Amino acid sequence: MGHDEKPPSADTGALAEAVAQPMRSRVAFERLRERTDELELIISGISLVALVSLPGWLFDQWVRLDVHVDGRRGVFVEFGFPITIGLCYTLAAAFLIHLVARAYWVGLIGLKSVFPQGIRWDRVTSQGPVMREWLSKQLADIEPFIDASDRFASTVFSIVSLVTLSFVWMIVPTSALLLMIDFIGRATAIPESISASILIAFVVALASVSFLLFMLDRHVGWLRARGREASPKLIATVRALSQLQGWFYPQRLLLPVQLIFESNLPKHTFSIAFGTIVAVTTLIGTTQLNTATEFTLIGDYRFATSEDMSSGIRTAHYEDMRASSDTLLRVPVIPSDRVMDPYVRLFLPYIPARDNTVLKQRCPDGVGDASHRACVAALWSVTLDGVPLDLDGFEFSERRDLGMRGLQGYVPTGALALGRHALVIQWKSGVPSKSKRRPGEITYHVPFWFAPPYQLDVEPPTTTRRAPMVPLNSAPVAPAKPEHTD
């Protein structure tokens, strides 16, 4: 028995027609566009609040970590934190610009809804006839300004997103590589020079891949412009390099935004703007950290310069006077500028980023605390009123109140006269250098005033002869009996 063929139903025909036509997008862009303005405002507001407060926290973490690290970890701290801090400030400024543009846009829309007739030029009295005629042509309708502010705000928001993703994608692989190199280096005792070479080779390889891809792709375009087709090997090489670059650069995530800007903005505008943002971001963070130790960035202290203050009183040298702004000044400290005890406590900081390079050259790997202590003490020379002091009695000290480790000793003051005295402390690497991080020699002047409590109420002597000083912990001495002669 044969089977009668059934004619295709309407549903089957509709399905076939739908399959034959290109698939339509499920996204109603116009409808979504009406909602993105509110989302932009919410995201910008929250991000601005977070980004304004984040640099302070990052700076505190940098201050806490920078004094303890050197080598591979020092590189990570020295370069990672400035970039992150600069990125926060850059993004905060961009979000602020976006909020201002959006606020202007909202204000224009409000004016348009309240005053739909726009500007009534016959009632404008602040301008003369010539200006009214010219402005009426320039400001004929407010809608172009509404559209322009809307476009500007959306453009700024998109650029902020692109910059953020680009920096995050740049920092994450580099940080992962640094941590991996540090872990392998500490586990296998690889020299730091080799670790630095690995990092430099990684950066150079990425730059070389990008440059080679750019040049080969341009060569293919040059050949096609002259009616010639590139070889299959050249095409395959370009595609392979593109895939390799995609492992470290998320093309599907970043290129849509980047290429839209490049193709719609004036030539080279996007490249210049993006490069400027990256440069400013790096400069802001580095500048903040470099100027954190300055007393002021704006001042006219012509007769009290920083050189003048080198032998004066600086709060960083006195524990009871140190402020939060002195945290980055890792200098020798004593308890106070007024000394009332028979000993003055002196702390000499040990800074790995500055000292380790010198100590590795000077001192072999010693065994025991005494060898390390003598090696670190050899970096310092201390004089009190020009008299050299012996540092053999100084001990290693961990000062968590100062956030540092170093040498600490007690300088006797029992033989000092009342009044001003000065400790002159020198750190010497023995190698001349102009680097602030690893200088060749540093000299600190720490003046103090000796005023023991047992002499505060004593009347000054009537003669020029100074009475001998008696230490606080000494036994009282009976006055000598005068001799009588017959």
Side-chain angles (χ1 to χ4, degrees):
M1 180 180 294
H3 297 280
D4 297 333
E5 294 182 0
K6 297 181 179 180
S9 62
D11 295 339
T12 305
L15 178 61
E17 182 181 357
V19 173
Q21 293 179 353
M23 182 177 294
R24 297 179 179 178
S25 175
R26 297 186 303 107
V27 180
F29 289 103
E30 293 300 328
R31 185 178 178 184
L32 289 177
R33 183 67 187 88
E34 296 176 357
R35 301 170 55 188
T36 55
D37 306 327
E38 299 177 0
L39 295 177
E40 286 182 11
L41 287 171
I42 294 174
I43 295 173
S44 294
I46 296 175
S47 301
L48 180 60
V49 173
L51 290 170
V52 169
S53 58
L54 188 58
W57 180 84
L58 289 173
F59 182 79
D60 292 339
Q61 301 306 309
W62 177 80
V63 170
R64 185 175 62 87
L65 294 175
D66 181 67
V67 70
H68 305 299
V69 294
D70 184 29
R72 292 175 289 262
R73 295 182 180 179
V75 172
F76 179 78
V77 172
E78 186 174 358
F79 290 98
F81 277 89
I83 292 177
T84 307
I85 291 174
L87 181 61
C88 290
Y89 282 120
T90 303
L91 295 182
F95 279 122
L96 180 60
I97 294 173
H98 174 262
L99 285 176
V100 172
R102 276 292 168 207
Y104 180 70
W105 174 75
V106 171
L108 292 179
I109 293 178
L111 287 175
K112 181 66 176 179
S113 62
V114 175
F115 304 105
Q117 72 277 12
I119 303 175
R120 301 172 63 179
W121 294 103
D122 58 327
R123 302 184 64 179
V124 173
T125 59
S126 61
Q127 305 293 334
V130 177
M131 286 298 298
R132 282 202 305 268
E133 181 180 354
W134 182 78
L135 291 174
S136 63
K137 296 178 181 179
Q138 300 294 324
L139 309 176
D141 193 356
I142 200 174
E143 290 185 3
F145 298 94
I146 296 176
D147 183 67
S149 59
D150 184 26
R151 290 173 179 269
F152 177 78
S154 296
T155 301
V156 170
F157 191 84
S158 299
I159 290 179
V160 170
S161 303
L162 179 62
V163 170
T164 304
L165 292 174
S166 299
F167 267 98
V168 169
W169 206 261
M170 178 182 65
I171 293 174
V172 169
T174 307
S175 301
L177 179 64
L178 284 173
L179 294 176
M180 182 180 66
I181 292 175
D182 181 68
F183 176 77
I184 296 175
R186 293 180 181 274
T188 60
I190 296 178
E192 292 182 1
S193 58
I194 297 179
S195 302
S197 300
I198 294 174
L199 179 60
I200 294 174
F202 173 76
V203 175
V204 171
L206 286 182
S208 300
V209 168
S210 300
F211 179 75
L212 186 60
L213 175 60
F214 175 80
M215 295 302 296
L216 292 179
D217 200 9
R218 284 300 181 95
H219 182 64
V220 172
W222 182 83
L223 291 175
R224 290 179 177 177
R226 284 155 179 77
R228 300 165 55 188
E229 185 60 35
S231 64
K233 291 184 178 180
L234 180 58
I235 300 296
T237 302
V238 172
R239 291 176 178 175
L241 291 175
S242 178
Q243 292 178 357
L244 179 61
Q245 186 187 48
W247 293 351
F248 303 98
Y249 184 80
Q251 297 175 345
R252 291 181 177 271
L253 184 64
L254 300 179
L255 283 182
V257 181
Q258 176 182 340
L259 297 180
I260 287 176
F261 282 130
E262 287 186 5
S263 59
N264 288 275
L265 295 178
K267 189 177 181 180
H268 302 308
T269 300
F270 171 76
S271 300
I272 296 175
F274 187 81
T276 302
I277 292 174
V278 172
V280 170
T281 296
T282 307
L283 181 63
I284 290 175
T286 305
T287 302
Q288 181 187 7
L289 299 186
N290 290 338
T291 58
T293 58
E294 299 294 333
F295 177 68
T296 179
L297 299 179
I298 301 176
D300 295 321
Y301 295 99
R302 300 180 182 180
F303 302 98
T305 63
S306 299
E307 290 75 14
D308 297 331
M309 295 304 303
S310 61
S311 58
I313 298 176
R314 304 182 68 183
T315 58
H317 289 299
Y318 309 100
E319 297 175 15
D320 61 349
M321 298 172 65
R322 283 178 68 94
S324 58
S325 57
D326 293 324
T327 307
L328 281 175
L329 299 177
R330 285 89 182 229
V331 297
V333 295
I334 62 176
S336 177
D337 60 331
R338 294 181 300 169
V339 176
M340 296 181 289
D341 298 326
Y343 292 92
V344 56
R345 183 176 65 234
L346 174 61
F347 175 78
L348 306 175
Y350 167 44
I351 304 174
R354 182 193 65 187
D355 298 346
N356 281 354
T357 303
V358 180
L359 294 176
K360 290 176 183 178
Q361 298 174 357
R362 281 188 176 184
C363 308
D365 293 336
V367 179
D369 174 73
S371 175
H372 290 168
R373 184 173 64 249
C375 193
V376 175
L379 292 173
W380 298 93
S381 66
V382 182
T383 62
L384 175 58
D385 295 336
V387 180
L389 300 179
D390 189 5
L391 302 184
D392 289 342
F394 280 57
E395 302 288 342
F396 276 131
S397 175
E398 185 177 84
R399 296 291 302 272
R400 300 205 174 193
D401 56 333
L402 301 175
M404 294 183 287
R405 287 181 179 177
L407 294 175
Q408 183 167 292
Y410 296 84
V411 180
T413 60
L416 298 180
L418 292 174
R420 185 187 186 278
H421 300 273
L423 286 165
V424 178
I425 306 163
Q426 287 186 319
W427 180 93
K428 295 183 178 182
S429 67
V431 180
S433 175
K434 296 181 180 180
S435 172
K436 291 184 178 180
R437 193 170 182 84
R438 293 185 176 91
E441 180 177 331
I442 310 175
T443 302
Y444 305 97
H445 295 265
V446 186
F448 65 89
W449 278 255
F450 183 60
Y454 57 82
Q455 291 184 342
L456 293 179
D457 298 331
V458 176
E459 294 293 335
T462 56
T463 62
T464 58
R465 183 178 180 181
R466 183 180 297 276
M469 299 182 63
V470 181
L472 288 175
N473 56 356
S474 61
V477 179
K481 297 182 179 181
E483 295 181 0
H484 296 279
T485 56
D486 296 335

